[in-house]
C-alpha cells in the first residue's frame, strides 16, 4: 500500500521542476508581492514534539480568496536521538524539494523569501486543506531522513502572527550564518557541494566553502558538511579541494573535477571568487544577483526583495531569467547575501572597492560588512536610478572606480573624435568630384577590415545586442 493512499493528489519526485503559472494558480503564498513570509525548522527535545500533528493557524486553503497572494509561514518541529541544531538548515532546505513532489504545489526559494503557488487543478482534485501538504511532508521527511523520529508541522496564514514570528526567524537565520564566520577556506581540506536545485537548473552545482555560502543562503559549509555526513546519498556531498590553481580567483582542481562530473561535463572550470571568465553557475534560488555595469566598470547588487528597477534599468525578475538555469553567465552572478560578509567576496574583482550600487535596505542589512570608508560612496536607488546618475554620483564621491570612469571618458572622447574624422573621410566618395585626392585611401580601408579578421582567425559572436546604423554606404568593389 502506498504511503499516500487516500490522498486526493499524487506525490512523486516526478513533479519536481513543475511550474504553476499565474493563470493556473488557485492562490499564491509568499512571493514578491508579500513582505512577510518564511519557513523554519527547529530541532526540539523528544517530549516537545507531537509526532504527525498538522496545525493551521489562520484561514485554511479553501478560506483564502481565489487568485490572491497571502503572507505565509511554515514552522516545523523535529526530534530524534541523532538530531542536533546543526541539521536544522539542512532539513529546512528539503521543504523545497519535498513540497515540489506534491502535484500542483510549486515551491521556490527559501528562508524569508519563500514563494509558493497552488494549482487550481489540484484544488479541484480535492487538495482542499493545508493539512494534506503537512501530512505529505511528514511522510516524506520521515521516510527519507530516518533520523527524524518525530515531526509536527504548523502552517500560519494569520498575518499578525507571521509578522511577529518573522523577526524571530530572521534572528535564527543570522545565528546559523554567524557560526561559520571566521573559518577560512585555506583551513579546511574539504568543500561541500549541493545539487538540490538540479530539478530546476540541471547543470547547476553549488560549491559551498567556509567563505562562500550557498547561493540560496540556506546552507553554510557547516550545514552542508552535516548533511553530507548524515545522508551520504543525498544532494550534499564532499568536494576534496585538490590543487589550488589560482588563490585569487578561487580555482581548485578538486572543485573543477566534481563540478564537471555533477554537471555531466557541462561546466569544467569554476572561479569561486569572481564573476568573470568562469563564474560559479547560478540556479534560480539565489538571494541576490550581482551584475556588471560596464559604463562604470563596477558591480551592482540587487536582492530578491527589491521591488523597483535596478540602476541598469532591469528589475530583479528580468535579470534572474538571464542569470539562472545552471549556466555560467559572465557579468551576472547569483549570490547568497551572507557572502557579502566574506573575506573572499569578489576577491578577484576588487571586492567592495568594485561595488557601486545596491538597494538601500540591502545596504543597511549588510552595513557591518561594508568598509566604513566606502559606505557613503556606494549608491542606492535614492542616489541613482540611471547609469548617468550613477556615473555622476561615483565621480562626485570619488569612489574607487572614479579614476577608471575618467579614463574611460577620455578614451570615449578620443574615440568620438577619431570617428568624426573617419566619418568625414567616408563621406568623401559622394563628394569625389570636389575632392578627388581622398578617394584612393577609402576603398583600401574598407577592404582591409574583413581581410584582417580573416587572417587573425577570430570569430566574434554578438548575442543580445542591438545594432543601430546611422548611415550605410554601399560601394562597388574596385572603386568604380
Ligand atoms: S542554491 Fe545551492 S545549496 Fe541552495 S538548494 Fe540550490 S543547489 Fe543546494
Amino acid at each position: 500500500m502506498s504511503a499516500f493512499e487516500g490522498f486526493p493528489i499524487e506525490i512523486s519526485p516526478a513533479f519536481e521542476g513543475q511550474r504553476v503559472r499565474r493563470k493556473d494558480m488557485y492562490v499564491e503564498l509568499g512571493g514578491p508581492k508579500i513582505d512577510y513570509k518564511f519557513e523554519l525548522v527547529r530541532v526540539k527535545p523528544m517530549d516537545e514534539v507531537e509526532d504527525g500533528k498538522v496545525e493551521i493557524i489562520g484561514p485554511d486553503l479553501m478560506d483564502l480568496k481565489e487568485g490572491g497572494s497571502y503572507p505565509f509561514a511554515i514552522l516545523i518541529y523535529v526530534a530524534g536521538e541523532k538530531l542536533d541544531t546543526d541539521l536544522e538548515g539542512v532539513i529546512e532546505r528539503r521543504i523545497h524539494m519535498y513540497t515540489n513532489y506534491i502535484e500542483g504545489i510549486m515551491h521556490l526559494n527559501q528562508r524569508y523569501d519563500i514563494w509558493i503557488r497552488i494549482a487550481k487543478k489540484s484544488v479541484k482534485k480535492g487538495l482542499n486543506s493545508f493539512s494534506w501538504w503537512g501530512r505529505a511532508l511528514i511522510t516524506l521527511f520521515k521516510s527519507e531522513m530516518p533520523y527524524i523520529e518525530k515531526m509536527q508541522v504548523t502552517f500560519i496564514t494569520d498575518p499578525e502572527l507571521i509578522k511577529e514570528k518573522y523577526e524571530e526567524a530572521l534572528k535564527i537565520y543570522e545565528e546559523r550564518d554567524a557560526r561559520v564566520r571566521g573559518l577560512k577556506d585555506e583551513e579546511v581540506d574539504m568543500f561541500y557541494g549541493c545539487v538540490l536545485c538540479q530539478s530546476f537548473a540541471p547543470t547547476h552545482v553549488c560549491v559551498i566553502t567556509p567563505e562562500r555560502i550557498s547561493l540560496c543562503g540556506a546552507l553554510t559549509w557547516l550545514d552542508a558538511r552535516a548533511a553530507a555526513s548524515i545522508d551520504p546519498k543525498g544532494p550534499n556531498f564532499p568536494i576534496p579541494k585538490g590543487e589550488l590553481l589560482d588563490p585569487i580567483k578561487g580555482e581548485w582542481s578538486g572543485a573543477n573535477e566534481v563540478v564537471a562530473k555533477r554537471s555531466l561535463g557541462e561546466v569544467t572550470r569554476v572561479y569561486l571568487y569572481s564573476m568573470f571568465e568562469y563564474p560559479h553557475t547560478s540556479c534560480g534560488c539565489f538571494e541576490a544577483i550581482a551584475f556588471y555595469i560596464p559604463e562604470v566598470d563596477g558591480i551592482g547588487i540587487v536582492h530578491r526583495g527589491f521591488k523597483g528597477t535596478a540602476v541598469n534599468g532591469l528589475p530583479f525578475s528580468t535579470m534572474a531569467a538571464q542569470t539562472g538555469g545552471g549556466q555560467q553567465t559572465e557579468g551576472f552572478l547569483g549570490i547568497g547575501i551572507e557572502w557579502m560578509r566574506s573575506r573572499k567576496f569578489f576577491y578577484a574583482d576588487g571586492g567592495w572597492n568594485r561595488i557601486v550600487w545596491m538597494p538601500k535596505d540591502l545596504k543597511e542589512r549588510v552595513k557591518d560588512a561594508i568598509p566604513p570608508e566606502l559606505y557613503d560612496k556606494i549608491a542606492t536607488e535614492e542616489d541613482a536610478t540611471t547609469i548617468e546618475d550613477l556615473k555622476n554620483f561615483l565621480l562626485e564621491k570619488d569612489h574607487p572606480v572614479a579614476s577608471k570612469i575618467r579614463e574611460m571618458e577620455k578614451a570615449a572622447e578620443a574615440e568620438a573624435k577619431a570617428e568624426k574624422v573617419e566619418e568625414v573621410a567616408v563621406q568623401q566618395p559622394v563628394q569625389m568630384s570636389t575632392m578627388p585626392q581622398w578617394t584612393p585611401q577609402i576603398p583600401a580601408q574598407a577592404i582591409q577590415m574583413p581581410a584582417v579578421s580573416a587572417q587573425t582567425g577570430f570569430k566574434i559572436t554578438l548575442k543580445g545586442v542591438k545594432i543601430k546604423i546611422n548611415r550605410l554606404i554601399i560601394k562597388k568593389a574596385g572603386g568604380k
Side-chain angles (χ1 to χ4, degrees), residues 197-210:
C197 288
Q198 285 198 344
S199 54
F200 289 90
T203 54
H204 174 68
V205 184
C206 257
V207 180
I208 305 166
T209 80

Side-chain angles (χ1 to χ4, degrees), residues 443 447 474-480:
I447 291 162
I474 301 172
K475 291 176 65 189
K476 261 192 172 179
K480 289 181 187 168

Side-chain angles (χ1 to χ4, degrees), residues 110-113 177 181 204 206-208 211-220 272 280-290 301-304 316 323 333-342 344-346 352 362 365-366 369:
Q110 62 293 315
R111 287 189 174 182
Y112 55 86
D113 243 350
D177 295 345
R181 286 181 203 148
H204 174 68
C206 257
V207 180
I208 305 166
E211 294 185 89
R212 199 181 197 290
I213 195 168
S214 64
L215 272 59
C216 57
L219 294 189
T220 66
L272 297 178
H280 192 287
T281 53
S282 301
C283 47
C285 298
F286 33 75
E287 284 184 293
I289 298 172
I301 298 178
V302 61
H303 64 299
R304 197 174 284 277
F316 181 92
T323 308
L333 185 69
I335 62 170
I337 289 175
E338 177 63 18
W339 192 45
M340 298 170 83
R341 295 195 171 83
S342 164
K344 298 295 169 97
F345 172 59
F346 288 126
W352 278 103
L362 178 60
R365 186 166 153 194
V366 295

Side-chain angles (χ1 to χ4, degrees), residues 222-244:
L222 287 173
D223 297 329
R225 184 179 69 168
S229 115
I230 200 157
D231 183 11
K233 291 193 178 139
N236 299 108
F237 45 87
I239 300 180
K241 283 163 71 178
E243 192 189 339
L244 176 57

Side-chain angles (χ1 to χ4, degrees), residues 275-334:
M275 74 182 325
F276 302 108
E277 296 181 83
Y278 302 102
H280 192 287
T281 53
S282 301
C283 47
C285 298
F286 33 75
E287 284 184 293
I289 298 172
F291 54 98
Y292 179 60
I293 309 172
E295 294 88 342
V296 297
D297 194 32
I299 298 169
I301 298 178
V302 61
H303 64 299
R304 197 174 284 277
F306 182 61
K307 296 192 174 87
T309 301
V311 72
N312 59 358
L314 301 172
F316 181 92
S317 54
T318 306
M319 273 192 268
Q322 210 158 335
T323 308
Q327 305 301 311
Q328 287 181 302
T329 315
E330 248 196 301
F332 286 97
L333 185 69

